[in-house]
């Protein structure tokens, strides 16, 4: 696993279910609020965008920056979280 935060480990350790978008690594209250305003209120909706972008790291990071003004680190943390979750559960 490429992430090390407790939030990351918690997310990747179990099925996603209806977790809020703020449970994703790299997404705090501010970015979470921006994502919710853009229609991405649950972690699975962000996963859907990740899959629509064919798991492409650069495209996903650009989408994160454009959609919620994520920093490179925040976008990377979220990408790694979703990527590793997919490796575990898909």
């Amino acid at each position: 696993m490429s992430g090390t935060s407790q939030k990351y480990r918690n997310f990747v350790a179990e099925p996603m279910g209806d977790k809020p978008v703020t449970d994703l690594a790299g997404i705090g209250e501010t970015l979470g609020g921006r994502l919710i305003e853009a229609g991405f209120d649950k972690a699975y909706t962000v996963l859907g965008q990740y899959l629509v972008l064919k798991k492409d790291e650069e495209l996903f990071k650009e989408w994160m920056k454009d959609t919620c003004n994520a920093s490179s680190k925040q976008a990377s943390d979220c990408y790694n979280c979703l990527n590793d979750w997919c490796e575990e559960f898909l």
Side-chain angles (χ1 to χ4, degrees):
M1 291 186 202
S2 54
T4 58
S5 73
Q6 186 63 46
K7 188 175 187 179
Y8 166 92
R9 289 190 297 272
N10 289 345
F11 190 86
V12 175
E14 61 189 20
M16 193 174 303
D18 279 342
K19 290 182 180 181
V21 70
T22 52
D23 278 8
L24 288 163
I27 308 300
E29 292 302 318
T30 301
L31 291 187
R34 293 177 188 154
L35 284 167
I36 290 167
E37 286 178 15
F40 298 90
D41 59 334
K42 300 287 185 182
Y44 66 78
T45 60
V46 179
L47 172 66
Q49 185 65 28
Y50 165 83
L51 295 173
V52 165
L53 296 172
K54 299 183 179 180
K55 303 180 184 180
D56 184 280
E57 184 172 4
E58 292 308 311
L59 287 175
F60 183 78
K61 288 179 181 178
E62 284 301 313
W63 175 81
M64 288 286 296
K65 291 174 188 175
D66 292 343
T67 304
C68 64
N69 201 27
S71 70
S72 293
K73 181 183 184 327
Q74 290 165 325
S76 184
D77 287 350
C78 188
Y79 171 84
N80 289 331
C81 183
L82 288 171
N83 190 57
D84 290 348
W85 185 91
C86 284
E87 287 181 17
E88 184 69 28
F89 291 100
L90 291 185

